[in-house]
């Protein structure tokens, strides 16, 4: 399959009645099958065409995770336009305005929770013509319309022009743009990453060389859907394999939605999940709190069980080997009396997590491996659509970012762009059909990042003798000591925050000084528990 349109059609033909997307609006989850998904996509795409949407036009999408999110994006793509998925955490100020203005967005599809953010700035967006609301409103402005009305118009359009519609959607070419995904823009203006049909379909093919995804698998997609990792691995790989994914039930706010995750996990009983370090840490905190609540005896037993499991598991590839085999009976006992009960709180079917949003500390990986739901680190970036490497059940080393996908070239280069030998540390550079077309309206940044077909990631790493990739941090974030030694802060920051229960976040700084400084955000709850045990009143500390 070379286009997303072909991808959906192929899955409808193979898995017409399989559930694809699940959403919980009331008291239970309801599924949309592959056939139903295509029907809704057709209505949305035809309705957008009826509104005058043309090939190459940009349509922004701002919404919580829900069925309408996928129908909107895939509908936009079927209409030949380009979807600009934006985070719901963006405010109506400069961050949101820049992306809408820079992309030249013509239509915005937005949920009711975020429509006011668009209304507040629409007067400053000369290209914006139409606001499409995913939720019904009491009244609409002259430039606003409810998505339900768009779909009704789409049905009428399909009745009159079905053959023309099919001709339009099948005219899509693999190199046609389908997404502009914006970077965070923490140090400069955000860059719009242009991804094509083939970027996505190629990365699906590459990722599936790491593992098989049976059509009965399901996942709860807890990462934001505009996130490139969730986008490809959650939405499109599931589409390609006939499997399904569920949305976290939306709350009144983003925080309210996060509170629904534990209950939704038990309802969906996912086979695997995608995670980021912050989410993984919160899950671990929840598990450890549940153990603490059972009393000091159970907590002490759990800590000993973890110690045994850490030793027995090793780094994964050496699990149970050598003298570690002697610990197998004790580990199995702890698995039955402790770890199995922990897994039941995660639905009972969860086989593993994939972490690819940022580097996962190895101690965090050891913890989840111990309880029987390994968290496999992967590596990628939006400019690569995004998957580059990953650990899997069949082949993994904790602490690494896994083996490199097939149909992709990777090399490690020095500052001058020269390829380095195996085991050497340098910049990670890749080449493949998954590499972005470039940055939207930013030819200079495109030329700096893509040279002779190779994508220079800006990440530092190396490949070991077994073919495992290790990512060490960003080149540009390297700190420099007074002796001129350069080092990456990320690994140190992650290790300290994960191994100290009293630190939530930290940031290191050094600019050729003798000592490295750290800005620390303490974990208030952990400090309060410690103070209570030590009989210390923290309010007395000045």
């Amino acid at each position: 399959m070379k286009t997303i349109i072909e991808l959906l059609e192929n899955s409808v033909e193979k898995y017409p009645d399989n559930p694809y997307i699940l959403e919980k609006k009331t008291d239970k989850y309801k599924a949309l099958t592959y056939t139903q998904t295509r029907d809704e996509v057709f209505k949305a795409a035809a309705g957008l065409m009826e509104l005058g949407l043309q090939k190459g036009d940009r349509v922004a999408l701002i919404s919580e995770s829900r069925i309408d999110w996928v129908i909107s994006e895939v509908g936009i793509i079927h209409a030949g336009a380009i979807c600009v998925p934006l985070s719901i955490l963006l405010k109506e100020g400069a961050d949101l305005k820049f992306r809408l203005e820079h992309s030249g967005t013509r239509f915005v599809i937005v949920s009711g929770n975020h429509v006011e953010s668009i209304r507040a700035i629409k007067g400053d967006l000369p290209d914006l013509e139409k606001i499409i609301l995913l939720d019904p409103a009491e009244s609409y402005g002259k430039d606003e319309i409810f998505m339900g009305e768009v779909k009704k118009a789409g049905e009428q359009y399909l009745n009159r022009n079905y053959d023309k519609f099919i001709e339009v959607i099948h005219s899509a070419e693999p190199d046609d743009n389908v997404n502009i995904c914006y970077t965070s823009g923490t140090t400069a203006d955000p860059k719009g990453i242009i991804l094509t049909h083939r970027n996505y379909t190629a990365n699906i093919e590459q990722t599936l060389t790491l593992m098989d995804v049976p059509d009965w698998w399901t996942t709860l997609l807890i990462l934001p859907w505009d996130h490139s990792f969730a986008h490809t691995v959650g939405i499109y790989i599931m589409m390609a394999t006939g499997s399904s994914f569920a949305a976290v039930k939306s709350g009144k706010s983003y925080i309210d939605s996060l509170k629904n995750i534990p209950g939704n996990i038990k309802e969906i009983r996912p086979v695997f999940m995608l995670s980021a370090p912050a989410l993984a840490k919160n899950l671990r905190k929840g598990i450890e709190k549940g153990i603490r609540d059972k009393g000091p005896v159970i907590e002490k037993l759990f800590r000993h069980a973890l110690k045994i499991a850490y030793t027995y598991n090793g780094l994964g590839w050496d699990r149970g080997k050598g003298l570690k085999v002697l610990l197998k009976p004790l580990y199995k006992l702890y698995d039955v009396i402790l770890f199995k009960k922990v897994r039941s709180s995660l639905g009972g079917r969860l086989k593993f997590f994939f972490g690819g949003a940022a580097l996962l500390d190895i101690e965090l990986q050891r913890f989840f491996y111990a309880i029987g739901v390994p968290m496999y680190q992967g590596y990628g970036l939006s400019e690569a659509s995004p998957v580059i490497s990953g650990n899997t059940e069949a082949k993994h080393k904790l602490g690494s970012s896994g083996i490199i996908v097939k149909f992709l070239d990777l090399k490690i280069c020095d500052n001058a762009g020269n390829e380095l030998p195996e085991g050497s540390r340098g910049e990670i550079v890749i080449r493949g059909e998954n590499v972005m077309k470039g940055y939207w309206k930013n030819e200079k940044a495109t030329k700096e990042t893509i040279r002779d077909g190779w994508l220079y990631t800006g990440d530092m790493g190396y490949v070991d003798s077994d073919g495992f990739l290790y990512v060490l941090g960003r080149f540009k974030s390297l700190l420099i000591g007074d002796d001129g030694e350069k080092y990456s802060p990320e690994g140190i920051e992650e290790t300290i925050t994960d191994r100290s229960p009293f630190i939530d976040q930290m940031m290191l700084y050094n600019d050729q000084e003798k000592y490295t400084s750290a800005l620390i955000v303490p974990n208030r709850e952990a400090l309060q528990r410690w103070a209570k045990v030590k009989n210390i009143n923290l309010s007395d500390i000045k």
Side-chain angles (χ1 to χ4, degrees):
M1 302 296 107
K2 300 294 185 181
T3 70
I4 289 172
I5 293 164
E6 292 173 342
L7 194 71
L8 178 58
E9 285 296 330
N10 187 61
S11 291
V12 170
E13 184 178 332
K14 286 184 177 179
Y15 320 103
D17 299 321
N18 278 21
Y20 176 47
I21 321 170
L22 295 94
E23 182 178 354
K24 185 180 181 183
K25 290 184 176 180
T26 54
D27 61 335
K28 65 179 182 179
Y29 273 95
K30 292 186 177 179
L32 206 65
T33 67
Y34 276 83
T35 300
Q36 291 169 330
T37 299
R38 181 191 56 188
D39 292 345
E40 292 300 305
V41 164
F42 276 20
K43 286 187 283 187
L48 291 170
M49 291 178 184
E50 184 75 353
L51 286 177
L53 192 67
Q54 301 291 319
K55 183 170 183 174
D57 285 345
R58 275 77 64 200
V59 182
L61 175 56
I62 309 169
S63 170
E64 302 79 11
S65 302
R66 54 198 280 187
I67 285 174
D68 288 331
W69 199 103
V70 176
I71 300 303
S72 296
E73 164 150 301
V74 183
I76 292 164
I77 293 169
H78 273 65
I82 303 169
C83 182
V84 185
L86 298 176
S87 170
I88 59 173
L89 299 181
L90 292 170
K91 304 302 180 185
E92 63 262 24
D95 285 347
L96 181 56
K97 180 184 172 184
F98 175 85
R99 289 161 172 80
L100 294 172
E101 188 173 28
H102 183 261
S103 62
T105 287
R106 187 178 172 199
F107 295 173
V108 172
I109 300 176
V110 60
S111 68
N113 286 343
H114 302 283
V115 67
E116 291 303 327
S117 297
I118 301 300
R119 287 170 175 164
I121 60 174
K122 66 179 182 179
D124 299 323
L125 301 169
D127 296 312
L128 181 59
E129 297 178 17
K130 189 72 68 177
I131 299 172
I132 302 171
L133 282 72
L134 292 176
D135 301 297
E138 291 184 2
S139 61
Y140 300 87
K142 63 179 182 180
D143 55 355
E144 296 177 355
I145 186 172
F146 175 46
M147 177 57 89
E149 294 302 315
V150 175
K151 288 184 178 180
K152 284 182 182 178
E155 287 184 89
Q156 295 170 3
Y157 183 93
L158 289 169
N159 288 335
R160 300 191 312 266
N161 305 290
Y162 187 80
D163 290 342
K164 180 181 177 182
F165 174 81
I166 295 298
E167 183 180 337
V168 169
I169 66 172
H170 285 169
S171 68
E173 296 291 337
D175 197 46
D176 286 348
N177 303 337
V178 297
N179 273 142
I180 299 174
C181 303
Y182 279 89
T183 61
S184 60
T186 51
T187 57
D189 283 338
K191 295 191 285 288
I193 298 162
I194 307 170
L195 297 177
T196 67
H197 283 281
R198 185 55 187 155
N199 287 153
Y200 279 115
T201 58
N203 200 230
I204 289 166
E205 292 166 8
Q206 292 165 333
T207 305
L208 290 175
T209 65
L210 294 176
M211 58 178 291
D212 293 323
V213 178
D215 65 4
W216 60 269
W217 276 20
T218 189
T219 184
L220 179 69
L221 201 51
I222 59 181
L223 293 177
W225 293 5
D226 61 280
H227 191 291
S228 63
F229 184 43
H231 211 164
T232 298
V233 182
I235 296 174
Y236 290 124
I237 281 185
M238 304 310 271
M239 179 188 289
T241 56
S243 45
S244 63
F245 65 95
V248 174
K249 184 179 181 181
S250 293
K252 293 181 180 179
S253 67
Y254 178 67
I255 299 301
D256 283 340
S257 298
L258 292 179
K259 292 177 182 177
N260 290 329
I261 291 175
N264 292 167
I265 288 175
K266 291 180 180 179
E267 293 169 289
I268 292 299
R269 302 181 65 237
V271 178
F272 77 95
M273 292 200 336
L274 310 179
S275 186
L279 289 167
K281 290 173 187 175
N282 285 335
L283 282 172
R284 177 176 180 172
K285 286 179 182 178
I287 292 169
E288 291 179 327
K289 182 181 183 301
I291 294 294
R292 279 197 308 273
D293 290 345
K294 294 183 183 299
V297 174
I298 296 297
E299 184 177 9
K300 186 175 181 180
L301 188 66
F302 184 72
R303 293 297 166 198
H304 187 257
L306 285 179
K307 184 178 179 181
I308 295 298
Y310 286 7
T311 303
Y312 176 75
N313 289 332
L315 293 177
W317 63 273
D318 57 347
R319 185 173 191 252
K321 293 182 179 179
L323 294 177
K324 296 185 183 73
V325 72
L326 299 176
L327 295 174
K328 186 173 182 179
L330 186 56
Y331 171 72
K332 291 295 183 183
L333 175 63
Y334 279 135
D335 189 66
V336 171
I337 66 175
L338 283 174
F339 298 145
K340 186 177 180 180
K341 294 178 181 178
V342 173
R343 291 197 296 274
S344 68
S345 70
L346 298 172
R349 289 198 305 174
L350 192 62
K351 294 164 68 72
F352 53 81
F353 291 89
F354 273 130
L359 293 177
L360 293 166
D361 181 80
I362 190 170
E363 206 278 332
L364 192 63
Q365 293 180 55
R366 287 182 189 273
F367 175 85
F368 282 100
Y369 204 121
I371 66 173
V373 280
M375 183 165 285
Y376 297 126
Q377 173 74 53
Y379 168 66
L381 64 164
S382 298
E383 288 88 340
S385 306
V387 181
I388 292 172
S389 68
N391 283 283
T392 67
E393 283 186 290
K395 194 171 184 180
H396 54 268
K397 274 189 186 180
L398 303 188
S400 80
S401 288
I403 56 174
I404 299 152
V405 299
K406 294 180 181 178
F407 316 126
L408 179 141
D409 299 318
L410 183 146
K411 61 183 180 180
I412 304 297
C413 295
D414 61 17
N415 290 333
N418 300 311
E419 185 171 0
L420 296 171
E422 179 186 284
S424 300
R425 300 184 176 200
E427 183 173 6
I428 300 168
V429 182
I430 67 158
R431 179 176 62 185
E433 290 185 281
N434 58 314
V435 171
M436 67 170 182
K437 184 181 286 188
Y439 293 115
W440 182 258
K441 295 181 181 177
N442 197 335
E443 188 175 344
K444 180 176 181 291
T446 300
K447 288 182 177 179
E448 289 173 353
T449 306
I450 302 177
R451 291 173 249 161
D452 297 324
W454 291 88
L455 173 67
Y456 286 73
T457 68
D459 289 322
M460 181 170 60
Y462 68 94
V463 179
D464 72 8
S465 58
D466 294 319
F468 285 84
L469 176 66
Y470 287 78
V471 182
L472 305 174
R474 296 290 293 172
F475 262 156
K476 292 183 180 179
S477 69
L478 294 180
L479 302 182
I480 307 174
D482 66 339
D483 58 356
E485 187 70 22
K486 297 179 181 179
Y487 60 97
S488 175
E490 284 102 329
I492 300 171
E493 292 164 350
E494 286 289 338
T495 300
I496 292 175
T497 53
D498 280 333
R499 296 189 181 183
S500 171
F502 306 116
I503 299 176
D504 254 351
Q505 300 177 50
M506 74 175 300
M507 182 179 72
L508 299 182
Y509 175 80
N510 195 343
D511 187 10
Q512 302 182 55
E513 300 291 340
K514 188 174 183 179
Y515 299 106
T516 298
S517 303
L519 177 65
I520 292 175
V521 178
N523 184 317
R524 185 181 298 272
E525 292 181 359
L527 285 171
Q528 287 172 339
R529 287 196 302 269
W530 172 83
K532 185 177 180 180
V533 171
K534 298 294 184 180
N535 201 26
I536 297 173
N537 187 349
L538 291 179
S539 62
D540 292 338
I541 299 175
K542 304 297 182 182

